[in-house]
Amino acid sequence: MKIGIGNDHVAVELKKEISAYITEKYGYEVVNYGTDSSERFNYPVAGEAVANAVVSGEVDKGIVICGTGVGISLAANKVNGIRCVTCSEPYSALLSRQHNNTNMLAFGARVVGPELAKMIVDAWLSGEYEGGRHQVRIDMLADIEERQKNK
Ligand code: RB5
């Protein structure tokens, strides 16, 4: 399993801690698409880079972190095929996998501390998509993307 990770300047330290956590706990490869500098870095760049890596199959799933998790998730969700959830608690992270088949997770370095972030990551990584009755809605999301392309 390969996880793409991306962040802006606000989330450098949390990105490093979460990357190490995932590698140590799960043995997954974590590929860094974010900044490692405290210089201002615009979150859409990292959001789009991780999203493209997920859609192309370069990585299996993506995690993105900015101050709130909002801006970077908005960027990721602009990429066709991405379903990115912004979470500040584990319940939504888990359900977003089970029901919405999210392929990206976002959270905010100014919103959650490292231990809560790890709980969110654990919930999200452990969640299995349930398919079945949920698939019709996932297909409808893809239909929206198709309609937008034809505008
Ligand atoms: C950067 O100041 C901040 O706007 C960004 O990290 C993020 O919170 C945006 O959604």
Side-chain angles (χ1 to χ4, degrees), residues 8-11 40-41 43 65-74 108-110:
D8 70 1
H9 55 286
V10 175
R40 194 169 293 277
F41 182 95
Y43 57 77
I65 319 168
C66 62
T68 57
V70 173
I72 205 159
S73 69
L74 293 177
R110 290 176 172 151

Side-chain angles (χ1 to χ4, degrees), residues 78-91:
K78 293 286 182 193
V79 174
N80 288 341
I82 290 299
R83 292 173 302 280
C84 180
V85 62
T86 311
C87 284
S88 51
E89 37 72 30
Y91 177 78

Side-chain angles (χ1 to χ4, degrees), residues 51-64:
N52 281 333
V54 171
V55 166
S56 71
E58 198 171 295
V59 297
D60 300 292
K61 288 177 182 161
I63 296 178
V64 284

